Amino acid sequence: MRSSPGAPPRDSVLAHAVDAEAAVRLTRDLVRLRTVSDPGAADVEGPAVRMLSELFTEFGWEHEVTEVAPGRPNLVAVVEGGGGDGPTLMFEGHTDVVTEGRGEDWSVDPYGGDIRDGKLWGRGSADMKSGVAAMIHGVRGLELAGPFPGRIVLGVLCDEEGMMLGAKAFASSPQADGVDGVIVCEPEGYEVCTSARGGIRIRLALTGVMAHGAMPQEARSPLVAGARIVEALAGVEEWAVRRFGTHPHAGSVTVTPTVLHAGDPGQLNVIPAHGLVGVDVRTVPGTDHEELIGRVRQAACDAAATVGVTVATTVVDDRPAVEIGEDHPVVAALVAGHRDEHGREPAIGAVPGTTDGTILTRDAGLPTVVYRPGGKWIAHQKDEYVEVAQIGEYARVYAAAARHFLSAGATTDAEGAAR
């Protein structure tokens, strides 16, 4: 296995400089803000961004707030190390969350930030406000431990739970220039995720012929067509697994119907003319998205044609699968930081969905790796929680990883200059 890249082994001064209790308090404060990613909301991330902006001002960090869309601000800070030239490392997170759903389904207040049984509970506790708090206090600890080479960019980007407008805006801005590596602080349960599955969202609009429920022979039913399309999509998934194989960490392609809608519950005697099938496709590195979309389109059209229904296909979003080599400096630094904290190598894994890192890699070519507190499968569920102890652990890993990355990069730069 690789040796630590450049910096000395575990630094007790650095570890003690990270204020784990402050990171927990910040997580609680963020969870208590209901920052649900709702396209109709007038102000989503605003309360969290205002809170963090005040904190950054207190720390003396240069930062900028940019409204990407109404009520959707990005917050980006730059922390200069004061230790000479070196690379630029970015930590990235988001403060928008998905809805809590029905409050009565929760056994805790979704926005209470309660701590009990060693866990901090609430919507966004794992995905991903604890990650934002850990990255902030990890960088603060690094700063307090003394000068470091290079600089750190902290990106708290908006709309991750939607169309990732914040990541798209950052990637196209001058702020992305010169970033040498990105640690995305999404919950992955101690895994260093060097790959992330891609995502394709497809809308299949069905058009048939309306008729009386007593006269189905006069109809061309989008409901029947939708059922046949759902069955056909299972065949597309089987084909895709054979065609693109199984990735060692990311698994295989999945083609999942998520919406099947037609008709009016108030008119049970009417066969509707129009319907909709929604499809969520998840891909792995090496998947040809254009070929796969074409296969979905053809399968849907063929299935619907058996009952005389036509299909219009719309690709709502298309995010590629991304991957970074395990020997990349940002991965090596993160592995070394984990080893410093835990005394053992981390597992290498994959993100089951997409993250802002997908967009940063696709649109700006930034090398990204994902690692953060919280269980890998807890996101978007009721009774979401994060282990309190993990928040400080991850903050210390982030601080150590940053030191490894920046010190190794500065050494490489100096050696190159000497030659």
Side-chain angles (χ1 to χ4, degrees), residues 223-287:
L223 285 163
V224 176
R228 295 188 181 184
I229 288 171
V230 168
E231 184 178 6
L233 291 176
V236 174
E237 180 176 287
E238 292 173 0
W239 166 84
V241 172
R242 294 192 303 270
R243 174 72 178 85
F244 302 113
T246 300
H247 187 273
H249 302 303
S252 55
V253 173
T254 55
V255 180
T256 307
T258 53
V259 178
L260 179 57
H261 175 75
D264 182 350
Q267 293 190 319
L268 300 183
N269 61 336
V270 176
I271 299 170
H274 301 283
L276 173 71
V277 177
V279 189
D280 184 307
V281 181
R282 299 294 165 157
T283 65
V284 298
T287 303

Side-chain angles (χ1 to χ4, degrees), residues 2 68 88 105 119 134 143 182 186 210 222 248 251 260 274 285 299 352 382 417:
R2 293 176 298 274
V68 173
T88 298
D105 291 339
K119 300 178 176 68
E143 182 183 45
V182 183
E186 289 278 5
M210 189 179 196
L260 179 57
H274 301 283
K382 67 177 183 178

Side-chain angles (χ1 to χ4, degrees), residues 85 407-419:
D85 292 337
S407 299
T411 300
T412 301
D413 290 347
E415 291 173 351
R419 287 196 296 272

Side-chain angles (χ1 to χ4, degrees), residues 26 184 201 211 259 289 352 382 396 418:
L26 180 57
V184 178
R201 298 177 188 175
V259 178
H289 280 210
K382 67 177 183 178
R396 290 189 293 272

